[in-house]
Amino acid sequence: LNIDGTPKRDSRGYTIPTYTQDIVQGFAHVFTGWNHKKSIDDPSPILPTHISRRKPMVLYPSHHDTGPKELLGGVTLPARYDGEQDLEDALDNIFEHPNVGPFISLRLIQRLVTSNPSPDYVARIARVFNDNGSGVKGDLAAVVKAILLDPEARPDSYSPIDGKLKEPMLRLTQLWRAYDAVKVDSSGDGDGHRMTDKTGQGPLQAESVFN
């Protein structure tokens, strides 16, 4: 991606791939061995339950791939047995990729301000993501401040494409939060799975990881 979120293209006008199948497989091998925890006394891997799905995953070293793993930017993790270090290094590898600034900035703008930000707006925020002014990358407080105080977030004149639609589930949960809502009917489902009956949406029920 360019800093403004638009795709980079080669001399023939084709978009430039960010990763290869080998890199996809490399990251898949990084995540081997991480699973749901059965209990404190019996840490063997199991299928998730409604309880274990809400707990942090744990590493089972015997299930972790110990070979080298190809990541982004020509980085290859060495062969080793440390699955936790593999995970930490892989997440750092993603974070350091130049796509992250514009990618995250665009989606934060879309979530907080407008569905159709200009490339210039995305670029201004991505630069703050990459450097908050003190050499720090990924300072979300600085990023959110820049998003909300940007001239494009507070235009002098109104346009029909300004702002964004808020998803029904978010409208409802934010209403509950604003009024300190509490559950009073013990017969209902406390974690909101029946929300789909009212809103057409539910927590953890998006059709894809892209929502």
Side-chain angles (χ1 to χ4, degrees), residues 112-155:
L112 297 173
V113 176
T114 179
S115 299
N116 300 289
S118 70
D120 288 342
Y121 188 5
V122 175
R124 290 192 293 270
I125 305 308
R127 291 189 180 97
V128 174
F129 183 96
N130 290 336
D131 185 343
N132 67 353
S134 300
V136 177
K137 182 177 181 179
D139 180 350
L140 291 184
V143 170
V144 170
K145 180 178 180 180
I147 290 172
L148 298 180
L149 296 181
D150 191 89
E152 198 167 323
R154 301 175 295 124

Side-chain angles (χ1 to χ4, degrees), residues 5-27:
T6 57
K8 290 183 177 180
R9 298 182 181 274
D10 62 20
S11 59
R12 297 177 298 170
Y14 296 122
T15 55
I16 301 172
T18 300
Y19 50 83
T20 64
Q21 182 62 29
D22 288 338
I23 293 174
V24 173
Q25 290 178 251
F27 277 99

Side-chain angles (χ1 to χ4, degrees), residues 9-174:
R9 298 182 181 274
D10 62 20
S11 59
R12 297 177 298 170
Y14 296 122
T15 55
I16 301 172
T18 300
Y19 50 83
T20 64
Q21 182 62 29
D22 288 338
I23 293 174
V24 173
Q25 290 178 251
F27 277 99
H29 286 293
V30 164
F31 301 130
T32 54
W34 292 91
N35 210 324
H36 298 272
K37 186 175 182 180
K38 185 174 182 181
S39 70
I40 296 177
D41 300 322
D42 184 3
S44 59
I46 60 165
L47 293 174
T49 67
H50 69 285
I51 295 176
S52 67
R53 283 184 306 189
R54 300 170 184 170
K55 302 294 184 181
M57 300 181 82
V58 295
L59 176 66
Y60 298 88
S62 61
H63 292 202
H64 181 68
D65 187 298
T66 58
K69 305 165 184 71
E70 182 179 349
L71 305 183
L72 295 165
V75 173
T76 299
L77 297 183
R80 59 187 175 191
Y81 292 92
D82 193 340
E84 292 189 1
Q85 189 63 53
D86 274 356
L87 178 61
E88 182 175 339
D89 289 347
L91 294 177
D92 286 344
N93 176 256
I94 295 173
F95 180 70
E96 293 301 328
H97 194 277
N99 274 3
V100 173
F103 183 90
I104 295 296
S105 297
L106 170 60
R107 280 146 187 83
L108 284 175
I109 293 169
Q110 289 177 325
R111 178 62 67 183
L112 297 173
V113 176
T114 179
S115 299
N116 300 289
S118 70
D120 288 342
Y121 188 5
V122 175
R124 290 192 293 270
I125 305 308
R127 291 189 180 97
V128 174
F129 183 96
N130 290 336
D131 185 343
N132 67 353
S134 300
V136 177
K137 182 177 181 179
D139 180 350
L140 291 184
V143 170
V144 170
K145 180 178 180 180
I147 290 172
L148 298 180
L149 296 181
D150 191 89
E152 198 167 323
R154 301 175 295 124
D156 293 332
S157 58
Y158 172 75
S159 167
I161 65 170
D162 285 342
K164 62 182 293 295
L165 291 174
K166 184 174 289 186
E167 297 174 56
M169 187 179 75
L170 293 179
R171 289 208 309 270
L172 181 58
T173 54
Q174 288 171 358

